[in-house]
Amino acid sequence: MKAADLNLRDMLQFNPEQGRITFGADNRMVLVGAELMGSLVDGLIDVGDVTTARVLLRRCGKEAGHRLARLFKEEFNPENQQEWLAFGPTMHAWEGAGKPNLAAFEFDPATNHFLLEVHFENSYFADQYLATHGSATEPICWLLAGYIGGYCAEVFAMELLCREVSCKAQGNPYCTFVVKPRDAWL
Ligand SMILES: [Zn+2]
């Protein structure tokens, strides 16, 4: 199946009798309000600090990205890496996380060169942060950065790291995420 054929209107099974929502074969999903995630981020900053929140959310996002990439591979058997990669942003858009647009992609396995840049409109993390705190002094979509990096790392079987280099919460029109090999950031 192609990423363009992903359609959560048909692929989510709502089963209120059992209190379950599932996607694909039997992958449990949960519908929660965007405010809950905003509260979670605020709570992490309150009980720890910004660094703790950043580290924890990036880690959770990374694991979720790896997991979702494996799920798409098993469920939909994408025909190549590009198609497998495309499931990630397509799912983000369907989930309501925001609208990722691919701005740049360079990949040369022979030289270990990898560069992916995503312009992410309507990040719900940025919107929640702006509504609660006003403008941020640094990019704050840590969960999304972890997720994008983890997803790409799983698809391309490389040590990749994603950083958000500018954020809507800082007053930019969209969030910009850049994925490169870990050592290329040093
Ligand atoms: Zn952002």
Side-chain angles (χ1 to χ4, degrees), residues 120 123-127 138-142 144 164 166-170 174-177:
F120 202 105
S123 157
Y124 77 107
F125 279 102
D127 286 346
E138 63 174 297
I140 54 83
C141 301
W142 303 306
L144 295 177
E164 185 180 23
S166 67
C167 183
K168 185 182 175 188
Q170 295 172 290
Y174 49 78
C175 303
T176 300
F177 296 91

Side-chain angles (χ1 to χ4, degrees), residues 43 47 52 65 70 140 150 152 163 170:
V47 299
T52 305
R70 289 195 294 271
I140 54 83
C152 290
R163 286 195 176 148
Q170 295 172 290

Side-chain angles (χ1 to χ4, degrees), residues 1-120:
M1 193 181 103
K2 291 183 177 300
D5 297 326
L6 191 70
N7 185 338
L8 261 60
R9 290 190 190 93
D10 302 328
M11 293 174 177
L12 284 179
Q13 289 92 46
F14 290 90
N15 188 341
E17 293 79 14
Q18 295 180 2
R20 287 169 58 86
I21 304 171
T22 51
F23 169 71
D26 191 28
N27 304 290
R28 188 166 184 182
M29 310 291 279
V30 182
L31 191 61
V32 298
E35 295 81 5
L36 176 65
M37 294 305 291
S39 300
L40 178 63
V41 175
D42 289 345
L44 283 171
I45 293 172
D46 285 346
V47 299
D49 52 32
V50 171
T51 303
T52 305
R54 186 196 303 125
V55 169
L56 280 173
L57 288 164
R58 285 184 63 90
R59 187 178 300 172
C60 291
K62 181 182 171 186
E63 288 170 9
H66 275 279
R67 201 163 47 241
L68 195 68
R70 289 195 294 271
L71 186 154
F72 282 134
K73 178 85 167 169
E74 291 162 11
E75 289 272 343
F76 303 125
N77 193 27
E79 59 192 34
N80 54 45
Q81 278 177 317
Q82 286 276 29
E83 197 57 43
W84 188 8
L85 176 67
F87 273 97
T90 305
M91 186 66 173
H92 257 155
W94 275 102
E95 285 176 339
K99 182 72 178 79
N101 300 299
L102 189 64
F105 180 64
E106 301 168 8
F107 177 44
D108 182 0
T111 59
N112 206 39
H113 174 71
F114 187 98
L115 172 69
L116 182 140
E117 181 172 326
V118 176
H119 295 169
F120 202 105

